[in-house]
């Protein structure tokens, strides 16, 4: 079984809903209507040690990461984060003062950054480290994964660094490079490693552009997967190329990688992918926070890259 | 390290809060103020296979249980459940259609029972089954773990069956009884097994008595632990005795257990423990839903059982 089949099965099995639920499983957040001007948005994201947590991350970074991954979904709805809950299953390896203190310091610092306090949790004993976070937010205008024909499709800041950082990590893990070579490469590509260690959710950006965009999602599984949520689109590799930073280009040359494929498969970037008919207004509103780049348009029918059928990308769990 | 130390350390490390947070980690739910008449309550509860899930439970029952454990915290705040999110880490053993379908059928049926739809989740691959649920609800009057001097301390329905059911389960697991003996004992004590398999959160009760009580918590870790949240109290074993059902008394006689100790240590009962100065009004309001029993009073100072210092009870994780 793979993740796609599991999720399909879950969606088929879960039948009950009620009049409060505006959006269930099919977006970055669930949306619950409280009244005409007030929607609660909620999301959950789980990190399991072997599958999600590169061993080079410090406990502090793990704490920041679980909060960022969840808050990023709130940001992508254009909502204001309210609070965060985190449950943890600790194995013997992590059940010590140093690990716990560092992990929760990371959580505390990032909760301050996003003005999203950690208000609760549950602690457990288990075979491996598992962190499960849930973030809530509020908005009067939840933004879904959609766009109108003719809308520009845009991305904040840049993409590609996380893929490169993970490529480096796997070279180390699979003994293709030594520890000292790894360290040297980290020094050569500091921003690449930084984006893996300390990704940032685009909360301010989501709030600032809420009334100017038609749709949005965050890039957690890679542009190649996220773009397909917008159903009908054409994107262009020369435009995508513009959001690849120089260090990623250099890294791709050094390690013989295709930079467009790198961008399409770079997950946990937490940049926002959005649709708008007001590109210039969005650009102005984000001044001082994030740059934005057009990568294509919403069209009537079909999925294309450079005029050819789109081949997709992104990460899927398999058992 | 034990759970108490871990939680202390976490509380000390998490410093950031803001003006919206009325209650953080110290109650059944976190409470977030939205406006004067609207408080969001939220809770999370994680189940790790080895530590929390008796192997006699079916996937359907596991699904019902994770929802009930979370919704019970909402009930204990006197709040109305809004929605539920559940993240899951599946090992190879559970990553099959039958398991997933049954688990989520349990979730679906119990979500209907509590009018609390499952609106989202995350699926992952891991070494062991971990389920992490988050429930949230709304109320105009959140009920905390407290009481006023002179208040009656009361419990809904009955206590003790879950402890007995787990005792039976451990007899089987440790080969003290055979499978056929276990089956016979299950037939002899059907309600004992039933309360382990299908516990019910007292949502209606929490809502009905919201304006009539001063404090409340749900019994998830055993009366002996939960009662200490009320700080100063005297309880009486002859009164506690009245909420022990006949089958528990019979079971205790058969297996030489002290029924009061059984009640104090019986966790995941999901009955409500509350304080009130209006016992009769609460009793009337719950007619047709739950019976209630007085077990003691809130006093000025100290913790007593039968006039002697209280010795406590309940379950604590250790690593």
């Amino acid at each position: 079984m793979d993740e796609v089949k599991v999720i399909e099965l879950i969606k088929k099995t879960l039948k009950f809903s009620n009049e409060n639920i505006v959006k269930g499983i099919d977006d970055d957040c669930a949306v619950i209507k409280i009244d005409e001007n007030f929607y609660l948005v909620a999301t959950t994201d789980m990190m399991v040690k072997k599958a999600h947590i590169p061993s080079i991350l410090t406990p502090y970074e793990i704490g920041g990461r679980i909060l960022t991954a969840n808050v990023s979904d709130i940001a992508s709805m254009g909502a204001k984060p309210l609070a965060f809950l985190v449950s943890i299953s600790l194995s013997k390896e992590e059940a010590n003062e140093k690990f716990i203190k560092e992990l929760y310091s990371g959580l505390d610092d990032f909760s301050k950054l996003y003005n999203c306090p950690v208000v609760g949790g549950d602690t457990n004993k288990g075979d491996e480290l598992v962190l499960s976070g849930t973030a809530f937010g509020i908005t009067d205008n939840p933004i879904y994964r959609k766009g109108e024909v003719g809308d520009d499709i845009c991305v904040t800041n840049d993409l590609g660094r996380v893929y490169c950082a993970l490529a480096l990590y796997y070279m180390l893990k699979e003994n293709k490079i030594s520890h000292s070579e790894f360290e040297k490469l980290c020094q050569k590509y500091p921003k690449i490693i930084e984006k893996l260690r300390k990704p940032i959710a685009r909360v301010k950006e989501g709030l600032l552009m809420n009334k100017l965009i038609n749709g949005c999602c965050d890039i957690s599984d890679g542009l190649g997967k996220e773009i397909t949520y917008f159903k009908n689109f054409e994107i262009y590799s020369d435009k995508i190329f513009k959001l690849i930073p120089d260090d990623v280009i250099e890294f791709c040359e050094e390690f013989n990688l295709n930079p467009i494929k790198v961008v399409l498969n770079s997950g946990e970037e937490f940049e926002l992918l959005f649709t708008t008919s007001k590109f210039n207004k969005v650009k102005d509103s984000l001044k001082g926070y994030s740059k934005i780049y057009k990568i294509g348009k919403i069209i009537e029918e079909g999925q294309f890259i450079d005029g050819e059928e789109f081949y997709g990308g992104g990460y899927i769990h398999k058992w």
Side-chain angles (χ1 to χ4, degrees), chain A:
Chain A
M1 282 198 106
D2 69 23
E3 201 183 352
V4 176
K5 273 189 199 144
V6 170
I7 293 171
E8 259 173 40
L9 187 58
I10 290 173
K11 288 204 286 194
K12 229 175 63 186
T13 311
L14 291 173
K15 292 184 187 110
F16 178 68
S17 188
N18 66 26
E19 68 286 356
N20 303 321
I21 312 305
V22 183
K23 186 62 101 173
I25 290 173
D26 285 316
D27 215 294
D28 287 322
C29 286
V31 178
I32 299 125
K33 189 176 179 173
I34 306 295
D35 67 33
E36 285 309 312
N37 292 310
F38 176 47
Y39 295 82
L40 187 70
V41 301
T43 185
T44 181
D45 203 65
M46 188 183 249
M47 282 166 64
V48 179
K49 190 173 179 181
K50 262 183 230 151
H52 299 93
I53 309 180
S55 58
I56 50 168
L57 293 190
T58 65
Y60 181 94
E61 290 164 354
I62 295 170
R65 193 173 189 74
I66 183 80
L67 190 49
T68 295
N70 279 282
V71 166
S72 178
D73 285 327
I74 304 291
S76 80
M77 305 302 290
K80 184 178 163 299
L82 268 183
F84 185 67
L85 299 156
V86 60
S87 283
I88 185 165
S89 173
L90 296 165
S91 78
K92 266 198 178 159
E93 200 184 323
E94 299 98 17
N96 61 73
E97 190 167 330
K98 189 171 178 290
F99 183 91
I100 294 166
K101 222 168 159 175
E102 284 187 24
L103 179 78
Y104 282 85
S105 292
L107 276 163
D108 194 50
D109 283 353
F110 277 78
S111 74
K112 201 186 289 180
L113 179 68
Y114 302 129
N115 192 18
C116 180
V118 181
V119 294
D122 190 17
T123 53
N124 295 280
K125 188 183 160 177
D127 286 350
E128 68 175 332
L129 179 65
V130 179
L131 284 157
S132 181
T134 304
F136 308 100
I138 42 170
T139 181
D140 60 351
N141 183 38
I143 309 290
Y144 301 100
R145 292 165 172 171
K146 63 184 179 56
E148 280 160 37
V149 175
D151 275 359
D152 286 313
I153 301 171
C154 310
V155 176
T156 54
N157 297 302
D158 55 65
L159 293 176
R161 284 185 174 135
V162 181
Y163 185 99
C164 297
L166 287 173
L168 265 187
Y169 166 66
Y170 282 107
M171 284 184 232
L172 174 69
K173 211 179 151 189
E174 291 159 9
N175 296 313
K176 289 175 184 162
I177 55 174
S178 68
H179 267 276
S180 71
E181 284 170 307
F182 176 77
E183 286 306 326
K184 261 183 224 158
L185 286 163
C186 288
Q187 280 165 21
K188 185 171 175 188
Y189 299 108
K191 287 185 176 170
I192 280 177
I193 287 296
E194 178 79 6
K195 188 126 181 186
L196 176 70
R197 291 196 179 279
K198 282 178 196 150
I200 302 292
R202 302 300 176 190
V203 175
K204 269 279 178 203
E205 289 80 346
L207 289 169
L208 288 168
M209 65 188 183
N210 178 298
K211 300 293 189 297
L212 303 170
I213 61 178
N214 289 324
C216 189
C217 70
D218 72 325
I219 297 178
S220 48
D221 292 330
L223 178 61
K225 186 174 171 189
E226 310 290 351
I227 187 75
T228 62
Y229 295 131
F230 293 85
K231 282 178 190 146
N232 300 300
F233 57 84
E234 53 183 10
I235 54 176
Y236 295 95
S237 51
D238 59 339
K239 293 186 175 182
I240 293 172
F241 214 85
K242 286 185 185 147
L243 53 87
I244 308 179
D246 289 346
D247 55 353
V248 170
I249 298 291
E250 195 185 334
F251 186 94
C252 288
E253 278 167 9
E254 181 165 353
F255 294 100
N256 200 23
L257 298 167
N258 176 333
I260 296 297
K261 282 194 182 167
V262 164
V263 165
L264 290 173
N265 290 288
S266 193
E268 309 207 316
E269 293 271 353
F270 306 121
E271 297 298 341
L272 298 178
L273 171 68
F274 61 95
T275 56
T276 183
S277 62
K278 298 169 183 163
F279 179 83
N280 287 326
K281 281 192 183 169
V282 176
K283 200 175 165 184
D284 287 347
S285 78
L286 300 194
K287 229 166 232 171
Y289 293 101
S290 283
K291 290 185 176 179
I292 59 171
Y293 297 88
K294 293 181 192 176
I295 62 164
K297 277 191 180 299
I298 298 290
I299 58 170
E300 290 277 0
E301 183 78 43
Q303 305 192 342
F304 302 96
I305 185 165
D306 299 332
E308 307 209 347
E309 211 168 316
F310 183 65
Y311 46 77
Y315 183 73
I316 293 170
H317 287 291
K318 281 195 181 68
W319 280 269

